[in-house]
């Protein structure tokens, strides 16, 4: 994309069907590659103190099944929050195309099942390091720390050692019930909203005033 296009932003395809297809195609591509737009986004959860948001990597998306996935540590506050209240919202933004996606849905947690096993097996060794923290993410430390056990140094960082992180690894699956896309464009923005039913069927698709 050229610099001029960057400033102009992007216009949506002309039909709602095409906008929907494009949205899921972007999310699926973002979930597949760290080089693609929308490889990371913000997921919001609800806790005792109210809403809480944080950046996560989009680890996959499936348009026909209306699902998106991220990975997390079973000991993280977000894991407990989702267990208590599965309602989540995502925001993903690509600055070069000036395109924003917002998703709402219900999340389920997978840490001891076939989905978690499959995703763990596909998780690169380096990405497994964060699941080695000896205590829960967010625990107060008297000194700056990675949280890794002292015996985890590069020489001992083998595939076998990385398996120690498996009990802390979880997949968060969101079944999307609403999708919004906002296209910022210098000649006028465009926005759409789509609702999905519990079985993934499309209930409505509308152009919205941006
Ligand atoms: C670029 C980036 C990517 C991140 N990816 C993830 C991720 O995929 N999963 C995750 O649990 N945390 C990820 N984090 C860390 C979270 O933003 C957050 O700090 C951490 O998960 C603790 O969140 P919690 O205390 O609300 O559970 C990422 C942070 C950044 C900056």
């Amino acid at each position: 994309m050229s610099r001029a296009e960057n400033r102009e932003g992007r216009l949506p395809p002309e039909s709602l069907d095409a906008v929907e297809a494009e949205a899921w195609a972007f999310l699926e591509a973002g979930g597949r590659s760290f080089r693609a737009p929308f490889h990371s986004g913000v997921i919001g959860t609800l806790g005792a103190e109210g809403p809480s948001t944080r950046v996560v990597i989009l680890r996959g998306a499936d348009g026909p099944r209306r699902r998106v996935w991220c990975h997390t540590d079973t000991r993280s506050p977000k894991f407990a929050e989702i267990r208590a209240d599965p309602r989540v919202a995502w925001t993903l933004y690509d600055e070069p195309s000036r395109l924003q996606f917002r998703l709402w849905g219900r999340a389920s947690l997978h840490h001891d099942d076939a989905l978690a096993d499959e995703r763990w097996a596909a998780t690169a060794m380096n990405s497994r390091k964060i699941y080695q923290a000896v205590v829960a993410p967010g625990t107060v430390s008297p000194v700056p720390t990675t949280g890794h056990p002292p015996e985890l140094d590069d020489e001992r960082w083998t595939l076998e050692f990385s398996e120690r992180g498996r009990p802390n690894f979880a997949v968060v699956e969101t079944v999307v019930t609403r999708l919004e896309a906002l296209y910022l464009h210098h000649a006028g923005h465009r926005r759409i909203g789509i609702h999905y039913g519990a079985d993934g069927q499309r209930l409505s698709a509308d152009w919205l005033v941006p």
Side-chain angles (χ1 to χ4, degrees):
M1 179 178 282
S2 73
R3 279 174 167 272
E5 280 171 314
N6 285 357
R7 279 197 304 274
E8 284 178 10
R10 186 183 170 85
L11 279 173
E14 298 211 336
S15 79
L16 284 164
D17 285 350
V19 181
E20 181 187 28
E22 175 174 277
W24 282 107
F26 266 124
L27 294 170
E28 288 175 359
R32 271 194 304 269
S33 169
F34 71 90
R35 290 192 194 87
F38 307 105
H39 185 57
S40 64
V42 173
I43 184 170
T45 51
L46 289 164
E49 309 288 320
S52 190
T53 61
R54 77 289 286 157
V55 175
V56 289
I57 301 295
L58 180 65
R59 296 289 179 181
D62 182 338
R65 293 173 64 222
R66 324 298 192 202
R67 280 161 168 77
V68 295
W69 293 274
C70 66
H71 297 167
T72 199
D73 192 305
T74 54
R75 302 163 298 173
S76 68
K78 75 178 88 47
F79 187 90
E81 287 178 357
I82 291 169
R83 184 147 56 190
D85 188 335
R87 290 174 298 170
V88 297
W90 286 72
T91 301
L92 306 102
Y93 179 59
D94 179 50
E95 173 67 29
S97 57
R98 303 182 73 204
L99 177 52
Q100 171 182 265
F101 294 122
R102 300 172 71 199
L103 312 172
W104 291 261
R106 290 192 169 254
S108 57
L109 299 166
H110 302 263
H111 57 100
D112 194 18
D113 61 11
L115 176 61
D117 287 344
E118 179 200 316
R119 296 301 174 105
W120 175 256
T123 298
M125 261 184 54
N126 219 36
S127 304
R128 292 180 171 193
K129 268 190 182 156
I130 49 167
Y131 300 99
Q132 295 282 333
V134 286
V135 290
T139 302
V140 171
S141 163
V143 290
T145 180
T146 61
H148 295 157
E151 68 271 23
L152 197 169
D153 57 36
D154 284 345
E155 276 156 39
R156 261 172 285 198
W157 186 238
T158 59
L159 192 60
E160 190 187 354
F161 196 102
S162 76
E163 287 296 332
R164 293 191 193 188
R166 175 64 186 86
N168 304 323
F169 172 79
V171 179
V172 180
E173 176 176 272
T174 304
V175 177
V176 176
T177 53
R178 179 161 175 81
L179 182 156
E180 278 198 16
L182 175 66
Y183 292 74
L184 297 182
H185 192 268
H186 75 296
H189 312 323
R190 302 285 192 282
R191 180 177 172 191
I192 63 134
I194 300 173
H195 276 110
Y196 298 109
D199 297 329
Q201 74 276 28
R202 198 172 85 180
L203 300 178
S204 64
D206 301 285
W207 294 104
L208 306 173
V209 174

